[in-house]
Amino acid sequence: MSQPVHFARLVTFLGKAAYQPTAYQSPYDAQQTFPTQYVAAALAEFLRPDEVVVLATDDAWEVHGGQFTAQLCDHQGLTPQRIVFPAGRSEGELWAQFEILKEALRVPNSSAPGRVALDITLGFRSAPFFCAGVVSFLQLVDERPPEVSIYY
């Protein structure tokens, strides 16, 4: 079975935990697997997005940024766009997270909204609920909201 849709962008989170290698299975082809410690690398392999946007704190990027970038470049020929994501330790940082995620989900395109894959697997604590709020906000206020598929 082939992938049914085209994804303009994969938006993902990266933390500083010690991720273990896993053989991820394609959501479109049960026979296709991809071994990696980064679920976003597997999703990039399966979904073939045009670009990958990584939301990561400075600490998380220091731990995993180089290896994650190398994996994407080696397997998919993609260089991830890293966006500094605040830790959310204050009200101001939480609002900054909201704005950053909101903009990461918007794919500029004059003729049609872009389709976005949102990977919440490595989101910290309440991130999945937070993401749902941002997606709902975009669906309500944007004239042409992005089509978002959530992967967990």
Side-chain angles (χ1 to χ4, degrees):
M1 177 186 304
S2 64
Q3 177 186 335
V5 296
H6 168 260
F7 287 93
R9 180 179 288 167
L10 167 62
V11 177
T12 188
F13 294 90
L14 192 60
K16 58 183 182 176
Y19 303 126
Q20 300 301 309
T22 303
Y24 291 96
Q25 183 179 37
S26 168
Y28 300 105
D29 180 357
Q31 302 302 312
Q32 184 183 12
T33 62
F34 188 80
T36 180
Q37 67 270 38
Y38 303 112
V39 64
L43 285 171
E45 176 71 17
F46 302 142
L47 304 178
R48 302 291 181 174
D50 295 336
E51 61 183 0
V52 176
V53 174
V54 181
L55 308 178
T57 64
D58 288 331
D59 290 342
W61 194 252
E62 185 177 317
V63 173
H64 294 289
Q67 189 172 2
F68 178 71
T69 298
Q71 231 179 68
L72 279 182
C73 288
D74 290 349
H75 292 282
Q76 290 84 26
L78 293 171
T79 300
Q81 175 192 351
R82 186 259 176 142
I83 298 176
V84 178
F85 203 65
R89 294 187 180 113
S90 68
E91 183 178 343
E93 285 188 355
L94 290 170
W95 279 112
Q97 285 182 346
F98 184 91
E99 289 298 320
I100 290 166
L101 181 56
K102 181 178 74 172
E103 292 309 313
L105 293 173
R106 288 177 169 154
V107 178
N109 187 327
S110 59
S111 61
R115 185 154 184 99
V116 177
L118 174 60
D119 167 35
I120 60 172
T121 308
L122 303 181
F124 188 61
R125 289 189 225 162
S126 61
F129 297 102
F130 185 78
C131 290
V134 175
V135 170
S136 293
F137 177 83
L138 291 175
Q139 297 296 314
L140 290 170
V141 302
D142 281 8
E143 185 176 322
R144 299 179 66 81
E147 294 181 46
V148 179
S149 295
I150 299 177
Y151 293 86
Y152 180 72

